[in-house]
Amino acid sequence: MEKITRMEEVKKRQPLYLPGDPSSSVYLLKRGRVKIASTAPNGKEVTFEILEAGDVFGELDVLQDAPRSTSAETLDDALICVIPRKDFDQYLAMHPNVTIKLTKLIGLRLKKIQSRVEDLVFREVPARLAHLLSELGKTEGVAEKQGIRLKVKLTHQEMANLIGCSRETVSTTMGQFRDDGLIQMDGRTITILKPDGLSRQMA
């Protein structure tokens, strides 16, 4: 794997690819965060996922031999491992166990997107935001004495793009969650104080 990859340092807020671009590489995020998103004709952005170090991305379009269907943009200064498409195909052919794991990863991502779509259709904003925070608590949470601290630090705009609403609505709802004693906010650091209380918001 090391022989077929190259490392790239990418500055904050730089696009890695845009919709319609050829899918010429697969990426492994080594440091920083990357946003996978799509923009509607009216300019409204929907964020599908915010990736952390260790995540693979760009693989689905490569496997489908299709142009990019989403955009990828760095949210921080990032270090990215780039694997050319031809070398990636050859690597998978030589390592079937990696193909199986990749298939599982794609399945999990599609399930996550399906869950988010169901949120947008069937849930109001407080329930969608509570669901997002609960999921982050499971995947990016650190148990501490006072509660579950989220390692990932999202702006209110980033959260709004993830759940399909305005930044102002996220700010208002987060303030309500704080006043209700469900969460604690210290700058961009969020601590979930009452996971069960968040769960009740999702009902």
Side-chain angles (χ1 to χ4, degrees), residues 124-193:
E124 298 298 326
V125 170
R128 300 204 301 259
L129 185 56
H131 187 207
L132 174 64
L133 294 173
S134 295
E135 288 301 307
L136 289 174
K138 294 173 185 175
T139 60
E140 302 291 338
V142 177
E144 296 184 342
K145 185 176 180 180
Q146 64 200 82
I148 301 171
R149 177 177 56 84
L150 303 186
K151 292 184 294 182
V152 62
K153 297 181 180 180
L154 302 178
T155 66
H156 285 186
Q157 185 61 63
E158 288 166 349
M159 286 191 279
N161 291 345
L162 280 165
I163 65 172
C165 69
S166 69
R167 179 188 58 79
E168 293 79 7
T169 302
V170 166
S171 297
T172 299
T173 308
M174 290 289 285
Q176 187 62 56
F177 286 174
R178 179 198 58 211
D179 294 344
D180 291 343
L182 303 178
I183 64 172
Q184 176 180 300
M185 293 186 286
D186 182 10
R188 285 171 58 189
T189 300
I190 300 169
T191 301
I192 300 173
L193 303 177

Side-chain angles (χ1 to χ4, degrees), residues 89-103:
D89 287 342
Q90 291 177 348
Y91 186 84
L92 291 184
M94 295 170 61
H95 301 83
N97 60 319
V98 176
T99 304
I100 294 171
K101 291 180 179 179
L102 198 60
T103 301

Side-chain angles (χ1 to χ4, degrees), residues 55-71:
D55 283 331
V56 176
F57 63 102
E59 78 289 342
L60 185 56
D61 294 328
V62 166
L63 292 173
Q64 291 180 324
D65 192 16
R68 298 296 184 192
S69 56
T70 58
S71 64

Side-chain angles (χ1 to χ4, degrees), residues 14-114:
Q14 293 299 307
L16 298 169
Y17 54 77
L18 298 171
D21 285 353
S23 51
S24 56
S25 300
V26 174
Y27 304 88
L28 171 62
L29 183 58
K30 301 288 286 185
R31 184 179 70 239
R33 297 178 302 153
V34 167
K35 174 180 67 178
I36 306 298
S38 183
T39 303
N42 63 5
K44 186 175 182 180
E45 181 183 279
V46 175
T47 301
F48 295 117
E49 199 164 8
I50 293 179
L51 305 174
E52 300 282 333
D55 283 331
V56 176
F57 63 102
E59 78 289 342
L60 185 56
D61 294 328
V62 166
L63 292 173
Q64 291 180 324
D65 192 16
R68 298 296 184 192
S69 56
T70 58
S71 64
E73 177 187 341
T74 56
L75 294 178
D76 314 298
D77 290 347
L79 180 63
I80 297 173
C81 176
V82 183
I83 311 168
R85 175 180 169 178
K86 180 181 177 181
D87 294 328
F88 183 68
D89 287 342
Q90 291 177 348
Y91 186 84
L92 291 184
M94 295 170 61
H95 301 83
N97 60 319
V98 176
T99 304
I100 294 171
K101 291 180 179 179
L102 198 60
T103 301
K104 290 181 179 179
L105 172 65
I106 292 170
L108 288 172
R109 285 199 177 149
L110 293 176
K111 187 176 180 180
K112 186 182 293 186
I113 291 173
Q114 180 183 358

